[in-house]
Amino acid sequence: MPRNKRGGRRKYQPKKQGRGSWELSVRRNELFEIFYSGVGIVPEGEWDQFLKTLREPLPVTFRITGFKGQSKELMKIVKGQYLNDLMKFTEDELEERDPVVPKNLTWYPDELGWQINLSKKEVRHVPRLEKLKKFLVFETESGNISRQEAVSMIPPLVMDIKPHHKVLDMCAAPGSKTSQLIEYLHSGDTTEEPEGFVIANDVDNKRCYLMVHQVKRLQSPCCAIMNHDATSLPKLRCGDGAHDFVMFDRVLCDVPCSGDGTMRKNFDIWEKWSMNQAMNLHRQQTKILRRGLELLEVGGRLVYSTCSFNPVEDEAVIAAMLDQCKGSVEMVDVSSELPGLKYVRGLTSWKLFFGGLDQGQWYETYEAAKEDKVNNMNPTFFCPPADVAKALHLDRCVRVLPHHQDTGGFFIAVLTKKTHLPWQPPPKDTESSSTDSKSESVGGDICMEQTGAEPSAQKTDMDTGDGTDNDTVPNTEKADTGDVAPGTGTQGEKRKADSLHPDDKAFDGKHNKRMQGYKEDPFLFLEKEDPLFTPIREFYSLSEKLTADQILYRTDSGRIRSLYYVSKPVRNLVQRNCSRVKFVNTGVKAFGRSPSPIVPECDFRLNQEGLGALHNMIMGRTLHFGRDDMLTLLSQDNPYFERFTDDAKEQFNKISPGSSVFKYCPTNSDAAPACDIIVCGWKGKTSTRPFVGKHERTHYLRLFGLELEDLVKEHAEERERRKMAESVISDLKEFDAPSDPEDCSDQEENKATGNTKDCADNKMDINVKDEVIDVKEDISENGGE
């Protein structure tokens, strides 16, 4: 790369390819081709096809959110004619490509994964695909589909997540896999809130906020987002005992990598690729994997994945860690869990190419590279001896190649923890060693009891130099003395420094490092008998299952404007660890302050975001609508009560004004849509109003077979008719008509003078006014504004 006068790299200037077009990157790299043609990841005879596919853009893929009740109805739309009508091409264009129809990803369960044979650029910029683009955007924003690369769906798929599992995503941003983990957590047969939770972490503060937007679409109270370095991620406290730390049942290590498996969408990697990238990332990847295994419960499952083809980032990392674990961790064969997926097994031997095009050389052992004084060498880059590689079962790894199923490239390895790691002693408290056990904390919080203890005195590369455990991390601000006092539901009192557990004392002192990124507002929980929550509970007749200490707010000064709901296990973790790690976000918005003079008894209204988690706990203020009434509610902004059916009118009369829940339930098997639809809104004195965003409203109307755009167009036409009617009335007022046009007492005089036009014109004006009145009445009856 050429350098500027100051010695820095020049800004890359794309080469002009032709009039009005620019070539972002040349999709060719000789070193890349030399390395991967010789390392052996591509089966014999498939190299040309591999390279050709790698230079083509990726097709659009998406996944239907499976745990939501509307998924089957949305499936009908995807499989039916609706989506096909959005992708019409001319005959000449169809000759240049395969028929553009949505294709099911055969290896993804329950037909929830789909692919469209169009590039992202085509969907964005081809005018006739505008409706398809809006469909994908609106359904994604409403949380009903996730636009995700096909191979990116595989790691969460093989984690085998159950609703009671404690799940950790160590390098989670931008959040597509995290959303998938949350989906699986909620995918149990019961509608009850899952006992488990998902903790999503990322070291990049800005990318954490991008992840918040992704995760909030799923509207789950069982997720928390942290901002921390995954290589030194601390254990999370869940109780007051010396060894009450969370050990996770499932861990996802989707580590940072060189990303050469994403060349089909990130074209600049072609120009930037070099072997040094993989070598520089190898140690970091190994440390993240090591820390993930330390936080994994015995019997739990960890998935390690990269979007790289390079064995230095893939098999070499796995082999190095399995060698350190001395049999306490083993590979899992997941071939039976991925029926229909085409992939190649992991390498059991490989060689590496170092140097340039002219002086480059292949090496099979570390000793040979060291003898030639190759820079930046590490023994773990190379393949272990053949007998060791066979014993480690490296062939159980999964490598997905682009040309097999028109995807990107990906590497997946699944590990299970059989016993405690050699550098981790068995738990000292044998009474709390059960994986599924639960215990009550002093304050009544649910705590996930753990089996793992802190690492032993034996030093590891994650231990701190002062003898304290590596679970000590920098505090966000100075001198925060520890966890919240047990038994309280607020962030009020803190423990004294002298009462801290030894593992927590490192947080108190002058050497705390400041956490990077934005300063977060505090996470403050209501007390169990908080007076702020009493009117809310009474107004909505909330179930006793919903306790006030599951409600949090984010300001310690001024008026509370929003209240958020979290599950009990997440509440417990946030309370006990807010001074240990930086939490960025958790909970779903349940209530928003919206005072009204006609509702003096409660200043908070319901929020659509939290309704999915809370609707079963709202015993009052719920109206049950049929198809016609729900369509009236969703298709009009502020419909009057008289536009609803008699059944709905009767329900309106039974409740007082204020925020309410409107629920549609199919009454028989052939009802459409055949799923529940729940929205929140406002019941006024004479009319009602839904509080649903544009994207969700579009989704619900689509399930009813209507399009929001068509309704908007229809209402616009009605407004034009109204304007025309008002214009005619305005013009009529300019006529100087007699006070009583029908009273032409001077008819005889007019006949005598020949002036008979006045009465005729007056009668014509009357007819015009009558037509205008008819038009206005017609508009009013049909829902015009």
Side-chain angles (χ1 to χ4, degrees):
M1 176 72 72
R3 296 181 176 272
N4 57 27
K5 294 181 180 179
R6 296 183 180 180
R9 293 182 182 272
R10 292 182 185 174
K11 186 177 180 181
Y12 173 69
Q13 297 292 336
K15 299 178 181 179
K16 195 169 184 180
Q17 191 176 24
R19 178 179 294 181
S21 63
W22 293 87
E23 184 181 10
L24 295 179
S25 177
V26 178
R27 301 177 198 178
R28 180 175 178 82
N29 187 305
E30 292 187 36
L31 278 175
F32 173 87
E33 296 179 28
I34 291 173
F35 178 76
Y36 283 116
S37 62
V39 78
I41 65 167
V42 181
E44 187 175 353
E46 298 182 12
W47 174 253
D48 291 340
Q49 188 181 1
F50 165 80
L51 207 57
K52 178 178 179 294
T53 305
L54 205 57
R55 289 171 175 152
E56 296 174 350
L58 269 176
V60 171
T61 52
F62 64 89
R63 175 175 47 80
I64 298 175
T65 305
F67 78 91
K68 290 201 171 185
Q70 297 96 10
S71 59
K72 291 183 179 179
E73 294 299 307
L74 191 59
M75 181 84 70
K76 296 177 183 178
I77 294 175
V78 173
K79 296 174 70 174
Q81 190 62 29
Y82 175 85
L83 202 58
N84 292 333
D85 291 340
L86 304 183
M87 299 179 294
K88 289 184 177 179
F89 280 79
T90 64
E91 293 183 1
D92 293 338
E93 290 171 325
L94 287 175
E95 290 179 358
E96 300 176 2
R97 60 167 72 240
D98 295 332
V100 186
V101 295
K103 299 178 181 178
N104 177 240
L105 299 177
T106 57
W107 49 268
Y108 199 89
D110 302 325
E111 297 185 315
L112 295 176
W114 290 84
Q115 175 177 309
I116 300 174
N117 190 26
L118 294 168
S119 68
K120 183 163 53 174
K121 183 178 179 181
E122 286 178 304
V123 173
R124 282 181 176 178
H125 301 296
V126 176
R128 64 178 159 274
L129 297 176
E130 183 66 22
K131 288 186 177 181
L132 172 63
K133 173 186 172 183
K134 288 184 177 180
F135 170 82
L136 295 173
V137 170
F138 278 43
E139 293 296 340
T140 300
E141 288 299 321
S142 62
N144 294 286
I145 68 171
S146 295
R147 295 180 64 182
Q148 184 178 2
E149 190 177 344
V151 288
S152 177
M153 304 176 191
I154 302 174
L157 187 61
V158 295
M159 291 182 70
D160 190 28
I161 294 175
K162 300 294 188 295
H164 64 277
H165 282 159
K166 304 177 286 292
V167 185
L168 172 65
D169 190 352
M170 300 188 71
C171 307
S176 59
K177 296 183 186 67
T178 306
S179 299
Q180 201 173 350
L181 299 177
I182 295 173
E183 178 183 337
Y184 294 155
L185 188 73
H186 287 265
S187 62
D189 296 333
T190 177
T191 57
E192 295 293 326
E193 188 173 276
E195 299 176 12
F197 52 83
V198 174
I199 302 297
N201 173 74
D202 200 86
V203 68
D204 191 320
N205 185 259
K206 292 182 179 179
R207 285 167 62 87
C208 282
Y209 290 95
L210 175 63
M211 180 165 52
V212 169
H213 178 68
Q214 291 269 25
V215 169
K216 273 192 172 295
R217 298 169 183 167
L218 277 293
Q219 302 175 359
S220 172
C222 306
C223 176
I225 296 175
M226 300 192 316
N227 178 207
H228 203 87
D229 183 0
T231 60
S232 58
L233 196 65
K235 287 183 179 179
L236 300 179
R237 283 201 166 277
C238 68
D240 298 319
H243 306 288
D244 288 340
F245 293 99
V246 174
M247 298 295 285
F248 291 92
D249 301 298
R250 298 290 185 268
V251 176
L252 175 60
C253 295
D254 186 48
V255 297
C257 64
S258 60
D260 51 22
T262 67
M263 283 179 160
R264 297 186 67 181
K265 63 177 181 180
N266 299 321
F267 301 139
D268 58 335
I269 295 179
W270 282 97
E271 186 179 21
K272 297 177 181 178
W273 187 91
S274 72
M275 189 62 191
N276 289 332
Q277 293 175 325
M279 295 189 296
N280 293 336
L281 288 166
H282 173 85
R283 177 172 172 79
Q284 180 188 16
Q285 293 163 342
T286 305
K287 290 177 70 176
I288 293 175
L289 175 57
R290 177 189 178 103
R291 190 53 182 161
L293 289 172
E294 290 175 345
L295 297 174
L296 183 67
E297 179 64 277
V298 173
R301 177 179 285 197
L302 180 146
V303 174
Y304 175 88
S305 63
T306 74
C307 49
S308 170
F309 300 119
N310 202 318
V312 172
E313 302 176 77
D314 298 339
E315 287 91 347
V317 173
I318 298 299
M321 186 49 55
L322 289 176
D323 181 61
Q324 292 183 40
C325 292
K326 308 298 182 184
S328 60
V329 176
E330 71 175 8
M331 292 286 300
V332 179
D333 187 357
V334 293
S335 57
S336 60
E337 301 178 27
L338 297 170
L341 179 67
K342 297 179 181 178
Y343 62 91
V344 294
R345 289 187 170 273
L347 300 176
T348 54
S349 64
W350 63 88
K351 56 184 179 179
L352 302 177
F353 184 85
F354 299 103
L357 293 173
D358 299 330
Q359 301 177 350
Q361 187 173 343
W362 288 98
Y363 295 93
E364 295 188 358
T365 63
Y366 168 74
E367 290 73 19
K370 185 178 181 180
E371 184 177 348
D372 286 353
K373 298 181 179 180
V374 179
N375 295 328
N376 199 21
M377 280 293 99
N378 192 314
T380 57
F381 292 169
F382 296 87
C383 181
D387 55 337
V388 176
K390 183 178 181 180
L392 296 179
H393 300 291
L394 294 180
D395 61 321
R396 293 179 179 177
C397 298
V398 173
R399 180 177 278 106
V400 182
L401 300 179
H403 63 289
H404 284 164
Q405 287 180 304
D406 197 14
T407 65
F410 226 76
F411 174 86
I412 305 101
V414 183
L415 307 174
T416 184
K417 189 174 182 179
K418 298 172 61 180
T419 61
H420 291 279
L421 302 175
W423 58 92
Q424 283 185 313
K428 296 179 181 179
D429 186 4
T430 57
E431 294 180 359
S432 61
S433 61
S434 174
T435 304
D436 296 325
S437 64
K438 302 174 186 177
S439 68
E440 293 288 333
S441 68
V442 178
D445 299 338
I446 292 181
C447 168
M448 299 296 182
E449 194 77 358
Q450 306 308 321
T451 63
E454 292 295 89
S456 65
Q458 178 184 355
K459 287 286 182 182
T460 70
D461 60 350
M462 255 87 69
D463 288 340
T464 56
D466 59 357
T468 60
D469 181 67
N470 64 294
D471 289 333
T472 58
V473 297
N475 193 0
T476 309
E477 300 295 334
K478 62 180 181 179
D480 198 0
T481 56
D483 296 332
V484 178
T488 65
T490 66
Q491 291 286 89
E493 297 184 8
K494 303 291 183 180
R495 294 180 180 177
K496 299 292 184 180
D498 56 0
S499 65
L500 286 174
H501 185 271
D503 293 327
D504 292 328
K505 285 185 177 179
F507 295 103
D508 183 49
K510 300 180 180 179
H511 301 290
N512 288 345
K513 295 181 181 179
R514 186 182 183 90
M515 289 186 182
Q516 301 299 315
Y518 300 105
K519 179 182 177 180
E520 282 295 326
D521 293 329
F523 291 80
L524 309 174
F525 289 84
L526 299 180
E527 297 180 359
K528 288 188 175 181
E529 301 298 331
D530 199 298
L532 179 68
F533 196 65
T534 301
I536 299 176
R537 179 182 297 281
E538 294 176 352
F539 186 71
Y540 297 105
S541 301
L542 299 179
S543 169
E544 293 299 327
K545 294 181 180 179
L546 177 60
T547 57
D549 56 357
Q550 290 179 258
I551 304 297
L552 68 87
Y553 54 98
R554 299 294 302 274
T555 178
D556 53 0
S557 62
R559 203 176 194 187
I560 299 173
R561 300 185 63 183
S562 299
L563 297 175
Y564 301 84
Y565 167 73
V566 296
S567 66
K568 291 182 180 179
V570 173
R571 182 272 317 272
N572 184 41
L573 289 179
V574 173
Q575 282 185 316
R576 297 180 180 280
N577 298 278
C578 61
S579 61
R580 297 171 59 83
V581 294
K582 181 179 179 180
F583 285 98
V584 172
N585 191 272
T586 189
V588 292
K589 187 175 180 180
F591 304 97
R593 185 181 291 276
S594 182
S596 172
I598 63 174
V599 191
E601 57 267 43
C602 182
D603 287 344
F604 286 86
R605 68 173 178 86
L606 296 167
N607 190 279
Q608 185 70 24
E609 180 184 324
L611 198 59
L614 292 178
H615 71 92
N616 287 328
M617 302 183 194
I618 301 174
M619 303 292 103
R621 305 197 62 79
T622 300
L623 292 85
H624 297 272
F625 280 1
R627 175 185 171 88
D628 293 339
D629 288 326
M630 186 58 76
L631 274 176
T632 302
L633 179 71
L634 293 173
S635 62
Q636 301 177 29
D637 287 334
N638 196 22
Y640 290 99
F641 295 157
E642 55 262 24
R643 295 179 184 170
F644 292 86
T645 64
D646 292 339
D647 178 61
K649 292 176 185 177
E650 185 178 348
Q651 294 184 66
F652 281 129
N653 293 331
K654 290 181 179 179
I655 65 172
S656 62
S659 184
S660 305
V661 178
F662 303 95
K663 187 172 184 179
Y664 162 81
C665 297
T667 55
N668 49 57
S669 58
D670 59 350
C675 62
D676 293 352
I677 293 178
I678 305 170
V679 301
C680 68
W682 185 269
K683 187 260 181 182
K685 291 182 177 179
T686 59
S687 64
T688 186
R689 184 183 185 90
F691 287 154
V692 184
K694 179 180 179 181
H695 299 111
E696 288 183 304
R697 183 185 291 221
T698 302
H699 166 71
Y700 293 141
L701 287 172
R702 184 174 289 126
L703 296 182
F704 281 107
L706 299 176
E707 287 295 322
L708 182 60
E709 286 187 355
D710 296 338
L711 293 174
V712 170
K713 183 179 179 181
E714 182 180 338
H715 289 170
E717 292 175 353
E718 291 177 350
R719 283 194 295 269
E720 288 298 322
R721 293 175 61 193
R722 184 190 64 183
K723 290 180 180 179
M724 290 177 61
E726 292 175 349
S727 176
V728 171
I729 293 175
S730 178
D731 292 342
L732 290 176
K733 290 180 180 179
E734 297 179 2
F735 283 102
D736 188 14
S739 58
D740 188 2
E742 294 181 337
D743 184 13
C744 294
S745 56
D746 296 333
Q747 286 186 7
E748 296 298 330
E749 181 181 351
N750 290 336
K751 287 181 181 179
T753 59
N755 185 15
T756 60
K757 186 174 182 296
D758 290 340
C759 285
D761 287 343
N762 290 336
K763 289 181 179 179
M764 181 187 69
D765 294 342
I766 295 171
N767 295 333
V768 171
K769 288 183 178 179
D770 290 340
E771 290 180 6
V772 170
I773 293 172
D774 291 340
V775 169
K776 293 185 70 176
E777 290 177 351
D778 181 59
I779 292 174
S780 177
E781 289 175 0
N782 287 280
E785 296 181 5

